[in-house]
Amino acid sequence: MNNMMDYDLFMQEIITTARAEMEAAGYEQLRTPEEVEKAFARPGTTLVMINSVCGCAGGIARPAAANAIHYDKRPDHLVTVFAGQDKEATAAARAHFGDEHIPSSPAFVLLKDGKVVADIPRHEIEGHDVMSVITNLQAYFEEYCDEV
């Protein structure tokens, strides 16, 4: 029983840290389907980061999310849903992404006026370095976002 309690505490610490990293980078946490609907209805561009507790989220995706936004063009809105934690919010977000989007985490989806214009699924994050993910994100920012 004690080992299970230690594991639960350990996982809660990881989750808390992962959420804090995204908030510190300026991303709005979407924890309910209602928050997802409201955020996705906003005009302009919205970068959605699908967060997770996996190693590639912590080692690659969250650092890429935090650093890619330091660019001449960037999304109007930065939001995140946490796969495996805020399950209903994540499902609501994925319902907007369409059938061609493979549900994966971590991942990035760029919306323009609520419509998917680009995505970076897990297989383009895991096994890649942070700079290559940043480069991919910024290429989408260049194409779809306005200067700040």
Side-chain angles (χ1 to χ4, degrees):
M1 188 78 163
N2 194 17
N3 287 341
M4 185 55 99
M5 208 162 119
D6 290 346
Y7 176 77
D8 289 343
L9 289 172
F10 173 73
M11 289 307 297
Q12 282 307 311
E13 186 175 320
I14 290 173
I15 293 162
T16 300
T17 300
R19 287 187 192 280
E21 286 176 12
M22 295 307 298
E23 286 179 352
Y27 285 73
E28 174 188 359
Q29 295 277 341
L30 305 178
R31 300 185 76 168
T32 67
E34 295 77 20
E35 290 173 350
V36 169
E37 295 305 320
K38 186 176 176 184
F40 286 17
R42 292 185 276 212
T45 51
T46 301
L47 179 63
V48 183
M49 192 278 189
I50 296 95
N51 203 352
S52 74
V53 294
C54 82
C56 60
I60 304 166
R62 284 192 297 274
N67 290 292
I69 58 176
H70 301 289
Y71 190 68
D72 291 342
K73 294 182 178 184
R74 64 171 262 187
D76 300 310
H77 312 285
L78 304 171
V79 300
T80 181
V81 294
F82 207 128
Q85 301 305 311
D86 302 323
K87 294 176 184 176
E88 291 176 354
T90 303
R94 287 179 172 154
H96 280 274
F97 301 157
D99 293 336
E100 63 279 349
H101 174 78
I102 299 166
S104 64
S105 58
F108 295 94
V109 177
L110 184 62
L111 306 173
K112 185 162 189 163
D113 298 324
K115 305 276 188 254
V116 174
V117 293
D119 76 341
I120 298 176
R122 179 186 177 117
H123 73 268
E124 292 180 22
I125 298 169
E126 187 176 33
H128 294 78
D129 61 59
V130 174
M131 279 311 300
S132 69
V133 177
I134 290 171
T135 300
N136 287 345
L137 284 167
Q138 289 177 343
Y140 291 135
F141 298 170
E142 185 66 34
E143 186 171 351
Y144 297 106
C145 300
D146 295 326
E147 283 194 38
V148 287

